[in-house]
Amino acid sequence: LGASATQLFTVSSVGEEFAITSPAEDPASLHTGEELEIVVSAPGRQSIKFITTYGTWKESKNTVLNHVSVKNGKASAILTSTEAGLATVQVVDETSPGISDTLKVAISAPSEDAAKISLQASATIMSPSTGDEVNTVDLTATVKNATDQVVGGAAVAFSIENTTGGGESISPVYVLTDDTGVAKAKFFSGSLGSDAKGVTVKAAIVD
């Protein structure tokens, strides 16, 4: 019959793939008012387009940065933001738009801007712990700055007031907020029940 078909494959080492190589973490972290360099490995490519859903590129003052030249197999751009949020960054080969890579960037206010804290618990009523049965409640503290932007890297200390004396505890008691401004801990009930005033759990921003 003589019919045939062919398929062209490009074989390259891992180090030669089109990819965001820096930052290596996904999601990456960025504080408001600071800069984050996004580096793309793009061997054999000519120019790259940078796009972000949040923040702007320093070079274009916009969410899109076109025609970034590839030099020595790499292209880069600087991401900045004045507000906290989660950005999705995409880099695209301008000659072959089907070739791209993405990275998430969690943007938060710096820890020195911490001004407000709120605390939530997964439950407000729980049973005492008995024997091997230990009852817990999840604690979530959220730290923000004066303009309600979430603050990453802020130190939060959890404490207990109005204790029953039955051995209730919190772990961990010292937590740094993540890039969404959240610090988490667990409250473990003791062997005794509380009076009508209950047990008070406090979360405070510390230096």
Side-chain angles (χ1 to χ4, degrees), residues 106-193:
I107 306 167
S108 61
S111 59
E112 58 266 25
D113 290 350
K116 306 176 184 178
I117 188 168
S118 62
L119 178 62
Q120 292 184 325
S122 58
T124 56
I125 299 175
M126 62 189 306
S127 300
S129 297
T130 56
D132 294 333
E133 181 180 351
V134 179
N135 295 305
T136 65
V137 166
D138 294 326
L139 304 174
T140 303
T142 303
V143 177
K144 297 182 178 182
N145 65 9
T147 57
D148 287 329
Q149 303 293 316
V150 296
V151 175
V156 176
F158 294 90
S159 59
I160 302 173
E161 299 177 353
N162 303 330
T163 176
T164 67
E168 56 267 57
S169 63
I170 295 174
S171 180
V173 296
Y174 179 86
V175 186
L176 296 179
T177 57
D178 61 18
D179 293 321
T180 64
V182 169
K184 294 185 177 182
K186 286 185 178 294
F187 173 80
F188 298 82
S189 66
S191 59
L192 301 176

Side-chain angles (χ1 to χ4, degrees), residues 38-81:
I38 308 295
V39 180
V40 183
S41 175
R45 311 295 171 181
Q46 295 181 342
S47 63
I48 309 299
K49 182 192 298 287
F50 287 74
I51 308 104
T52 182
T53 59
Y54 206 85
T56 58
W57 300 106
K58 180 180 179 180
E59 295 86 348
S60 67
K61 305 296 190 293
N62 206 327
T63 58
V64 178
L65 175 61
N66 295 308
H67 314 312
V68 179
S69 298
V70 177
K71 298 178 181 178
N72 298 320
K74 296 183 181 297
S76 65
I78 303 295
L79 180 66
T80 65
S81 180

